[in-house]
């Protein structure tokens, strides 16, 4: 029954990730009818590049968060109300992503010198990284909800890698005060970094 | 074959819950272009707080309803046409949630003194709670569709907790006549309350 | 491997059904800001009743089509390219439903005396019923893709009930020439009728 | 554990395919209120035929890409970070499809003589075909991620058929310079072509 419980949790989460990642495309706007001749359309699309960059960055981030969710639930095998609530909190952040993505692209298109939207965008990823840590530490604390034959080296590797999450995303958040494109690019690189699993430690300190 | 029947019912329901919970974000509007400089944007976002509160409350409510749906189907193991129809009725209410959520936020932003949208919002949750009861009582009546080894204490705990659902949501509905924010906050607290399973009774009266 | 093939076909179809049924709610419009005080809002919502009726009818129809899809795939256990294409054709019709639903509600709100949208709406269900028949007859022809232990009485019951589908929906289509509300109500009743499985025949004629 | 890994990869991908294919319908616009009387509505719908053709072509293409994804994962049985990233890249293209579809229909409705949108539309399918090849070749290279009992003839048949993908879609891309409708029709025919599995080769050259 526990196995079944995390199975449905994963199915529901997969659905939410899949819908959120696909809704991102709704933010890319068709130019109005009087800009649809070839030269104007070309110009309009070129002008939308911040939207495209934000779209790809958010796509990569949600995609890699799905990979990580999937990786955590290779180890988490039991569910309780606490886990369900932490998971809902994480999904709330995921579902929210299309909004700051559109906000960032929209503000950058009109006021490339303004930075509030970029701060909100990066700030949201800091919170998401914290939610990921909370979910994992809640499940892994004294192996509370992990599989009985979970590899302690793999568990430790995840815990170690995740320590860096909020810190690294906080750097991207700080960068938003200095340069909006640099902040977006760092968010994209962080998505790539978290696509790869953490290195397993040689020796295990006391857990 | 029966097992398979509820498996696909759960998969379809998971999909509907996942899409409905994600569509909520489409209600949060990007401010128009001439309000996208930092000071105006900040103000616009602060002014959207009722939308954010309604977004989070509806997200929590749909999320917790998913948890409860999942909990019921730990016991329900067979499906018949009646169950399929009661489940569709419940999903109809879930799918509808984004509309009164947006209505509430929109009316509160323009006319914080008006209450019709808040009454519709809370009233819908009363009906949803009644649908949940109907689904469960239809399945649990004389163990009609329950697993043969369903724990009678757990079944009874659900039945007891669910008795309070329509009553408690009716209180939130009544509160909407007095104070819109108080009604929303109570709806949020009720979502938290139903996230936790009911207490198992010590002794079982005649079922 | 065959089992796995229909499993993923069902999962994909469930997803499409779930998204299509949830997108229906996007058609219900929030009244503009200057109509959001209580008396105006009340009036606006009352005026939207054709949209609500169309929303509920389309929800019921997609929901019951999902029930029937599910029922067919209790018997269909193998997949080939033909089945995949017939299934895609059926899903194309399902995915399309939100458009004529919105069209019907919109036209009825503005021109209750006009009938083109109601004809399109009902006509689409005639085509969908034909697609359902095509899918089923392709799979059931000489038990091509059915489970080896499929109950021939149950198979025959489905074939018999489905014969009536296009005919009954054609009646609703014809009704649209006379009365739009009568046509919608008949579509709703047909959804209820197809929620229940067909009666198993006493004796089996030559298949 | 590997089996489970591709199972969840498939579930997430199915979800993304299902949402993307359903979002296509959001591009079909309801005519404005003053064009909703029967004669005007009829005319408006006839004028939308390029949107309908693009809708059906994109639906068929996404649907057939799902069939092919499904076919590949009958052989791919293990997952690693590389596969997850190639799969995300492919899903990025799928999720993007509704945008160039709407762009094509919109431009063709206003400027049937202009071709930029048709070039973007066909160009995107060239890139998608390349992504499909990359995913497959990454997994099939020295049977890296294939099932141990994968049929080498079937594997080779896929590799051979997929070689033609980018080339054939490039022809449709080239056609967009000459005739927009011809390019769309060719894209539709290519979707049908890839719905059918490739022919198994008689003899196997050195792999």
């Amino acid at each position: 029954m526990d196995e079944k419980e995390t199975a449905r949790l994963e199915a529901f989460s997969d659905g939410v990730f899949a819908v959120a990642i696909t809704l991102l495309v709704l933010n890319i706007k068709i130019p109005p009818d009087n800009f649809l001749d070839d030269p104007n359309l070309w110009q309009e699309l070129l002008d939308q590049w911040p939207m495209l960059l934000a779209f790809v960055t958010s796509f990569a981030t949600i995609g890699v968060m799905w990979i990580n969710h999937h990786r955590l639930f290779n180890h988490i095998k039991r569910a309780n109300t606490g886990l369900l609530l932490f998971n809902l909190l994480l999904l709330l952040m995921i579902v929210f992503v299309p909004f700051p993505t559109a906000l960032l692209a929209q503000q950058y298109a009109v006021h490339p010198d303004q930075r509030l939207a970029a701060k909100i965008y990066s700030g949201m990823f800091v919170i998401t990284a914290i939610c990921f840590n909370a979910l994992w530490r809640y499940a892994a604390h004294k192996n509370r909800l992990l599989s009985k034959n979970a590899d302690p080296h793999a568990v430790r590797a995840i815990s170690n890698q995740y320590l860096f999450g909020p810190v690294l995303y906080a750097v991207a958040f700080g960068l938003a005060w200095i340069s909006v494109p640099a902040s977006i690019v760092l968010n994209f690189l962080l998505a790539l970094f978290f696509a790869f699993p953490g290195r397993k430690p040689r020796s295990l300190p006391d857990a």
Side-chain angles (χ1 to χ4, degrees), chain A residues 1-134:
Chain A
M1 181 162 292
D2 282 332
E3 273 290 320
K4 201 193 155 231
E5 226 165 290
T6 69
R8 223 185 135 183
L9 179 92
E10 291 170 59
F12 175 66
S13 304
D14 282 356
V16 172
F17 277 103
V19 183
I21 213 171
T22 315
L23 285 187
L24 288 170
V25 78
L26 293 184
N27 294 325
I28 312 181
K29 295 287 177 238
I30 306 291
D33 277 10
N34 48 334
F35 285 93
L36 281 176
D37 58 304
D38 277 6
N40 270 310
L41 179 57
W42 186 246
Q43 194 53 51
E44 289 283 311
L45 293 176
L46 285 184
D47 289 353
Q48 279 213 44
W49 72 263
M51 184 64 237
L52 280 173
L53 180 61
F55 168 71
V56 171
T57 302
S58 292
F59 186 96
T61 306
I62 296 184
V64 168
M65 281 173 179
W66 172 78
I67 292 179
N68 276 280
H69 192 267
H70 171 173
R71 211 168 262 156
L72 298 192
F73 280 85
N74 279 340
H75 300 293
I76 302 173
K77 289 297 175 206
R78 276 162 293 153
N80 61 16
T81 303
L83 186 78
L84 292 173
L85 288 177
F86 275 115
N87 193 58
L88 270 186
L89 197 63
L90 180 63
L91 293 181
L92 175 64
M93 297 311 299
I94 302 292
V95 158
F96 193 62
V97 168
F99 175 69
T101 304
L103 199 65
L104 169 59
Q106 205 64 31
Q107 191 188 45
Y108 195 78
V110 185
H111 298 289
D113 55 316
Q114 307 275 303
R115 290 175 181 144
L116 180 58
K119 291 171 195 168
I120 295 173
Y121 185 76
S122 289
M124 180 194 56
F125 288 147
V126 177
I127 300 176
T128 311
I130 293 171
C131 288
F132 246 114
N133 268 279

Side-chain angles (χ1 to χ4, degrees), chain A residues 129-198:
Chain A
I130 293 171
C131 288
F132 246 114
N133 268 279
L135 172 70
W136 173 246
R137 282 173 212 289
Y138 178 79
H141 181 66
K142 295 184 181 165
N143 282 14
R144 196 189 327 232
L145 301 170
L146 301 190
S147 160
K148 264 144 202 165
N149 40 29
D151 171 7
H153 287 84
V155 167
R156 169 57 49 137
I158 292 176
S159 297
N160 285 349
Q161 189 191 25
Y162 277 32
L163 270 183
F164 294 103
V167 178
L168 290 172
Y169 277 108
V171 173
F173 179 59
L175 258 184
W177 260 264
I178 301 166
S179 157
V180 170
S183 171
I184 301 179
V185 168
L186 181 55
N187 275 315
F188 183 76
L189 294 177
L190 287 178
L192 284 189
F193 172 71
F194 282 105
F196 291 89

